[in-house]
Amino acid sequence: MYNAKSDAWSKSLDLAHKILNPSTYNCSLCNLTHGNFSEKEVWKNFREYSETDFVFMYKDVFVKKYPDYNDKDFPIILEMDNGKKPVILFDAQKLTSIASVEELIEILQKKI
């Protein structure tokens, strides 16, 4: 789940923030997986050719569907357990420590 909201105004502000002051942009998952305007090619290829189904949600959409996660720090990466409940794989702190999309992919390949 990205640390961003889904409305057009928030998306526009995020884009401007990411371009004008990327060092203070607050979504480490976005920074890893996306450039300024689109998904990074290496991430896109990993996601498309993986046997795992990935679902990406904006924070506001996710907490509306799963209100128990409203108090969590975002971004986070989750997987669904057998009972179809989201379980945190990587919290915001762990995502901040990942240096590159290649490192993220390597770690995910070991986990999934």
Side-chain angles (χ1 to χ4, degrees), residues 83-99:
K84 301 296 182 192
K85 181 181 179 193
V87 176
I88 297 175
L89 277 181
F90 300 112
D91 61 15
Q93 184 177 5
K94 173 66 177 173
L95 287 168
T96 302
S97 73
I98 298 173

Side-chain angles (χ1 to χ4, degrees), residues 69-84:
Y69 290 81
N70 192 42
D71 64 340
K72 302 294 183 202
D73 289 330
F74 287 78
I76 53 177
I77 296 178
L78 307 122
E79 70 176 341
M80 298 302 274
D81 70 7
N82 292 336
K84 301 296 182 192

Side-chain angles (χ1 to χ4, degrees), residues 52-70:
T52 301
D53 291 328
F54 291 92
V55 175
F56 299 91
M57 300 172 104
Y58 287 97
K59 180 180 177 178
D60 59 325
V61 175
F62 178 76
V63 295
K64 187 174 183 179
K65 186 171 183 175
Y66 300 100
D68 291 347
Y69 290 81
N70 192 42

